[in-house]
Amino acid sequence: MVIEDMLPQHWAEVKQIYLDGIATGQATFNTDAPSWEEWDKAHLTTCRFVALDGDKVCGWAALTPVSSRCVYGGVAEESVYIAQDCRGMGLGLQLLSHLITESEKAGFWTLQAGIFPENEASVKLHEKVGFRIVGTRQRLAKHYGVWRDVYLLERRSSTVGLD
């Protein structure tokens, strides 16, 4: 498995992996994938990665800004998604670890994630790389007509933003 920068030509496979995540009902409030243009606009241009097995995209990770205010310039929300047939092989750990390393090189001091409490595998993955649950956003929004809670997790860098 090789981790490389995500390129526009990866979008079809990235989108399918996202759609597979949506289908689980445990990955996101979204019910459909955006177009490449919408996705590209919403995500930071730095720290976008795909995990490749040959030419096959097996997973992806990316950052979105949490605010347009300059004081939050070193804070981002992360997403990591693994293809259905590649789950349980440690790829999420590889991708998330790579994203953390590269985000710190890019000057990010805090990464955050919003995860449904029922998505225990994702919560455990994030805790394994230093994220901690800082709170529960209760009944944050309805998902298919049902109110859902969301854990807010964060990871503070031990090397960036210390001064």
Side-chain angles (χ1 to χ4, degrees):
M1 204 66 64
V2 176
I3 298 175
E4 295 183 358
D5 289 340
M6 182 189 297
L7 302 172
Q9 57 261 36
H10 295 128
W11 177 244
E13 290 177 280
V14 166
K15 180 179 179 179
Q16 186 56 56
I17 292 168
Y18 188 59
L19 288 168
D20 290 344
I22 290 171
T24 70
Q26 301 302 328
T28 178
F29 280 109
N30 290 334
T31 57
D32 200 7
S35 68
W36 164 253
E37 293 76 20
E38 292 168 321
W39 189 94
D40 183 49
K41 185 177 179 181
H43 290 77
L44 296 170
T45 56
T46 187
C47 297
R48 298 176 176 189
F49 303 106
V50 290
L52 298 172
D53 183 7
D55 290 336
K56 178 187 176 190
V57 176
C58 295
W60 62 271
L63 298 179
T64 55
V66 298
S67 175
S68 61
R69 295 179 57 201
C70 63
V71 297
Y72 294 106
V75 182
E77 183 167 352
E78 60 79 24
S79 297
V80 60
Y81 284 81
I82 306 303
Q84 207 167 13
D85 60 343
C86 297
R87 294 181 190 150
M89 300 173 2
L91 185 54
L93 180 60
Q94 286 180 280
L95 259 175
L96 192 50
S97 296
H98 184 80
L99 181 66
I100 289 167
T101 299
E102 295 303 312
S103 71
E104 289 178 335
K105 288 179 187 175
F108 289 92
W109 57 80
T110 298
L111 296 182
Q112 67 181 42
I115 303 174
F116 293 134
E118 297 82 4
N119 192 343
E120 294 174 8
S122 187
V123 172
K124 287 178 185 174
L125 166 65
H126 284 76
E127 290 177 332
K128 191 178 283 191
V129 294
F131 281 78
R132 64 189 178 90
I133 297 171
V134 295
T136 301
R137 302 178 79 187
Q138 295 179 340
R139 296 172 50 95
L140 183 62
K142 284 189 175 182
H143 187 232
Y144 299 108
V146 177
W147 285 104
R148 298 289 301 265
D149 293 348
V150 174
Y151 284 154
L152 177 60
L153 292 89
E154 72 174 18
R155 182 188 184 281
R156 183 74 162 92
S157 173
S158 60
T159 60
V160 179
L162 302 178
D163 51 349

